[in-house]
């Protein structure tokens, strides 16, 4: 048995950047043109609480950035809400863009590097009504948005994440088609970013430690292995080879997908228990 006092000191290299992150819909407030806002109004089971003003970051970002600087942030991971930039199909909100540019400039002026997420779960409701990423042909709307946004923000950005945690869909086989489409969106988004900047690009992977609910049960052990394949192994293999291989589906090869990550971006929360009997 050991205690934290018996552990060796962990020394971070001088190049290690300490900071924090946020997602637009979760902190800005009044993100009224997003599909999340629509789902909240519909009282869907997964959206029992209205985001409302959230942290009111949209109005208080200047004070928030001052606090980040006081806390000695070296990097800040943020997202730009597509639904604010393009609230209607093909219609851009220049005032919203100007506010984001002011955020980025203030962060840069305070010496805080920006890691920008281009899609953090939420997107315009008009895009969702067209089928969202459930339809692979709709990826062209996302790429159009990137072509509009990237030339305007590229000089402020240290690194990029195209998508956030799309491999979460790997826990539910009916969503495998959506996950494949998001994988393609990542790959094409990666190459779109590279048209404008040499900054490093990735997509954030939600790393899940799958553990059998009953370690002695072959069915639980198999379930853990399949879930690990459909989430963790799927993502890493796809990036390294360009192959999208999931249980119960046909393999697909996407040339643009191979090596479409300049670094591994990992979100890690907790372990999950896997049962083969539920």
């Amino acid at each position: 048995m050991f205690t934290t006092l018996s552990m060796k000191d962990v020394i971070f290299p001088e190049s290690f950047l300490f900071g924090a992150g946020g997602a637009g819909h979760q902190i800005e407030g009044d993100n009224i043109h997003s599909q999340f806002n629509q789902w909240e109004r519909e009282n869907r089971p997964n959206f029992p609480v209205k985001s409302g003003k959230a942290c009111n970051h949209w109005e208080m970002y200047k004070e928030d950035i001052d606090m980040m600087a006081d806390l000695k942030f070296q990097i800040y991971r943020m997202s730009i809400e597509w639904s604010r930039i393009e609230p209607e199909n093909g219609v851009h909100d220049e005032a919203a863009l100007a506010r984001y540019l002011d955020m980025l400039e203030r962060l840069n002026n305070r010496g805080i590097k920006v890691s920008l997420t281009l899609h953090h779960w939420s997107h315009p409701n008009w895009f969702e009504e067209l089928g969202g990423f459930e339809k692979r042909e709709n990826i062209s709307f996302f790429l159009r948005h990137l072509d509009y946004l990237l030339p305007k923000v590229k000089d402020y950005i240290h690194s990029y994440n195209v998508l956030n945690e799309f491999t979460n869909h790997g826990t539910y086989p009916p969503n495998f088609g959506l996950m494949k489409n998001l994988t393609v969106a990542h790959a094409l988004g990666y190459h779109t970013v590279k048209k404008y900047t040499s900054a490093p690009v990735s997509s954030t992977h939600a790393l899940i430690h799958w553990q059998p609910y009953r370690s002695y049960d072959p069915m639980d052990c198999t379930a853990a292995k399949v879930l690990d394949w459909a989430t963790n192994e799927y993502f890493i293999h796809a990036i390294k080879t360009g192959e999208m291989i999931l249980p119960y589906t046909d393999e697909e090869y996407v040339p643009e997908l191979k090596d479409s990550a300049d670094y591994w971006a990992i979100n890690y929360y907790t372990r999950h228990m896997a049962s083969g009997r539920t």
Side-chain angles (χ1 to χ4, degrees):
M1 182 173 179
F2 64 90
T3 68
T4 54
L5 295 177
S6 67
M7 297 174 65
K8 294 182 179 180
D9 290 341
V10 176
I11 308 298
F12 288 89
E14 291 187 7
S15 60
F16 193 92
L17 299 175
F18 287 91
H25 186 77
Q26 297 171 21
I27 67 171
E28 290 176 354
D30 294 329
N31 188 29
I32 61 174
H33 298 293
S34 76
Q35 99 279 21
F36 271 24
N37 184 267
Q38 178 62 32
W39 293 346
E40 290 167 6
R41 292 200 299 268
E42 294 171 357
N43 296 310
R44 294 199 182 189
N46 289 341
F47 295 84
V49 178
K50 307 293 189 294
S51 57
K53 287 288 183 182
C55 303
N56 202 21
H57 180 67
W58 190 246
E59 301 295 337
M60 301 182 66
Y61 70 90
K62 296 175 185 178
E63 294 93 330
D64 291 343
I65 291 171
D66 287 342
M67 286 192 288
M68 293 180 202
D70 290 342
L71 290 167
K72 309 299 182 187
F73 277 30
Q74 295 169 298
I75 192 166
Y76 174 53
R77 181 188 171 203
M78 62 174 284
S79 66
I80 288 180
E81 276 295 308
W82 178 10
S83 59
R84 290 195 189 273
I85 299 298
E86 193 178 2
E88 299 177 44
N89 188 357
V91 178
H92 293 101
D93 187 331
E94 298 296 334
L97 174 64
R99 181 162 298 206
Y100 278 121
L101 292 175
D102 190 46
M103 289 182 196
L104 296 172
E105 185 172 8
R106 286 173 183 274
L107 287 162
N108 282 197
N109 289 343
R110 301 304 293 269
I112 301 171
K113 299 180 187 299
V114 177
S115 181
L116 182 63
T117 302
L118 296 167
H119 185 279
H120 199 128
W121 291 104
S122 52
H123 48 244
N125 197 50
W126 63 259
F127 178 72
E128 184 67 20
E129 290 176 347
L130 291 174
F133 288 109
E134 294 279 0
K135 296 181 178 179
R136 191 169 296 186
E137 61 267 27
N138 285 348
I139 294 173
S140 62
F141 292 105
F142 178 57
L143 301 180
R144 184 186 71 182
H145 164 63
L146 298 188
D147 279 324
Y148 172 82
L149 179 66
L150 289 166
K152 300 169 179 63
V153 303
K154 63 182 179 62
D155 293 336
Y156 299 101
I157 309 304
H158 171 268
S159 58
Y160 291 87
N161 281 286
V162 180
L163 303 174
N164 181 71
E165 295 186 352
F166 63 87
T167 51
N168 270 348
H169 297 291
T171 60
Y172 188 50
N175 284 339
F176 284 175
L178 171 60
M179 191 163 79
K180 283 186 173 183
N181 291 348
L182 287 166
T183 307
V184 175
H186 155 78
L188 299 180
Y190 172 91
H191 291 288
T192 301
V193 175
K194 287 299 185 180
K195 291 194 304 185
Y196 299 100
T197 176
S198 60
V201 184
S202 187
S203 275
T204 309
H205 172 51
L207 179 67
I208 301 174
H209 173 203
W210 292 104
Q211 181 173 325
Y213 185 73
R214 293 162 287 252
S215 60
Y216 57 83
D217 189 319
M219 293 182 67
D220 289 0
C221 292
T222 299
K225 290 178 181 178
V226 171
L227 286 164
D228 183 65
W229 165 19
T231 52
N232 302 317
E233 186 177 342
Y234 165 80
F235 177 78
I236 295 170
H237 183 84
I239 297 298
K240 291 175 69 69
T241 67
E243 298 170 347
M244 298 192 296
I245 304 177
L246 283 165
Y248 326 119
T249 67
D250 292 334
E251 175 188 346
E252 287 188 69
Y253 177 69
V254 181
E256 297 89 350
L257 180 57
K258 188 178 188 303
D259 297 324
S260 60
D262 300 324
Y263 63 98
W264 295 116
I266 303 296
N267 287 346
Y268 180 68
Y269 303 102
T270 184
R271 65 177 178 171
H272 286 211
M273 308 304 288
S275 172
R277 301 179 184 277
T278 56

